[in-house]
Amino acid sequence: MNVLLLGASGRIGRRAATELLDRGHNVTGVSRSGTVAEIDSDAFVVVAGDATVSEDVAKLAAGHDAVVSTLGPGGDVSPDILTEMVTAVIDGMRHGAVDRLVWTGGAGGLMVNPETMLIETADFPEEWKPVASAAIDAYEILREADDLAWTYVAPAAMIQPGDRTGEYRTADRELVTDDEGESHISMEDFAVALVDELESERSVHTYLGTGY
Ligand SMILES: NC(=O)c1ccc[n+]([C@@H]2O[C@H](COP(=O)([O-])OP(=O)(O)OC[C@H]3O[C@@H](n4cnc5c(N)ncnc54)[C@H](OP(=O)(O)O)[C@@H]3O)[C@@H](O)[C@H]2O)c1
């Protein structure tokens, strides 16, 4: 597949690029600077683009089979930029005639029980609330785009660099927890989940939770 990877220079993005390349996909990686450190492959091209500008996304997306986003707000701007990004990506994909999108979202909107989202739980860290809330707003925008074959894939509550085991579980709109009640996944296995979903299209139009 020819894949446009938005956010390729990020922590999850570099792992997603590696996973895609290891499976034989051709990847166009996007960052604002047009550089991505530490990945060297003939199947990997890096270009500069701004994911808040729909014209940039349209130009970059054209000719690709799918868009994968590992975009994040970074530390220096308001997390609300996530809603600008998803709006520009949706619009850009429509203009670039690409209809498959795998979007890295947040765990905050996943349900921990039938009435309660993770972000609403008493011990959800206060400092994570702005980005978690912005990620839920981005989901609300994406879910209206039913002309696109989107999947919103959320990491577990905790995601860190680690090992690629290839083992993980998913749940539709639910937080995935292990036998001890912990919700966690390595960035490497999250990248596996993103690419599995891209290839299988098992969970189109779904807010998918991932974890061990
Ligand atoms: N438990 C959870 O729910 C959880 C935990 C962690 C992360 N996440 C989510 O996962 C996503 C990725 O996280 P991460 O830690 O990998 O993020 P990150 O390391 O901060 O990477 C963010 C990426 O977005 C790119 N970017 C930012 N603004 C851009 C713009 N205007 N145009 C183009 N590219 C832009 C950055 O590229 P340049 O800066 O190089 O341009 C970088 O590649 C985020 O949305 C984050 O909220 C969720």
Side-chain angles (χ1 to χ4, degrees):
M1 227 182 268
N2 292 321
V3 179
L4 184 74
L5 176 60
L6 300 169
S9 55
R11 297 185 316 153
I12 296 173
R14 285 196 308 271
R15 289 158 173 97
T18 301
E19 185 67 28
L20 285 161
L21 292 164
D22 285 351
R23 296 200 203 181
H25 298 293
N26 297 312
V27 180
T28 307
V30 182
S31 70
R32 283 168 294 182
S33 64
T35 58
V36 171
E38 291 165 22
I39 301 177
D40 185 23
S41 163
D42 291 344
F44 189 50
V45 176
V46 185
V47 295
D50 187 334
T52 63
V53 178
S54 65
E55 292 80 4
D56 273 18
V57 177
K59 264 189 239 144
L60 294 170
H64 290 83
D65 301 307
V67 174
V68 174
S69 164
T70 55
L71 290 164
D76 49 346
V77 292
S78 163
D80 293 335
I81 198 165
L82 281 172
T83 58
E84 280 180 53
M85 287 171 169
V86 77
T87 302
V89 170
I90 291 167
D91 194 48
M93 286 180 62
R94 285 176 177 148
H95 283 95
V98 181
D99 75 351
R100 175 67 171 136
L101 172 62
V102 179
W103 181 271
T104 300
L110 294 170
M111 308 306 287
V112 298
N113 63 46
E115 284 85 39
T116 315
M117 290 190 284
L118 179 65
I119 194 174
E120 297 169 328
T121 55
D123 44 8
F124 192 85
E126 206 55 44
E127 66 269 26
W128 292 359
K129 282 190 180 166
V131 69
S133 176
I136 293 170
D137 292 344
Y139 168 67
E140 295 297 337
I141 293 169
L142 190 57
R143 70 190 295 212
E144 298 297 320
D146 51 14
D147 56 317
L148 300 183
W150 58 264
T151 309
Y152 182 101
V153 188
M158 300 297 301
I159 175 165
Q160 289 175 331
D163 294 330
R164 182 194 186 285
T165 69
E167 301 287 326
Y168 66 93
R169 294 181 300 125
T170 62
D172 183 349
R173 194 76 210 246
E174 286 176 20
L175 188 71
V176 178
T177 55
D178 66 13
D179 291 345
E180 278 84 47
E182 301 296 323
S183 176
H184 60 115
I185 193 165
S186 71
M187 290 185 175
E188 287 73 8
D189 280 335
F190 181 71
V192 174
L194 281 178
V195 181
D196 283 349
E197 173 51 30
L198 174 74
E199 292 177 342
S200 70
E201 301 197 24
R202 255 192 309 261
S203 301
V204 170
H205 296 164
T206 300
Y207 185 160
L208 197 67
T210 62
Y212 296 127

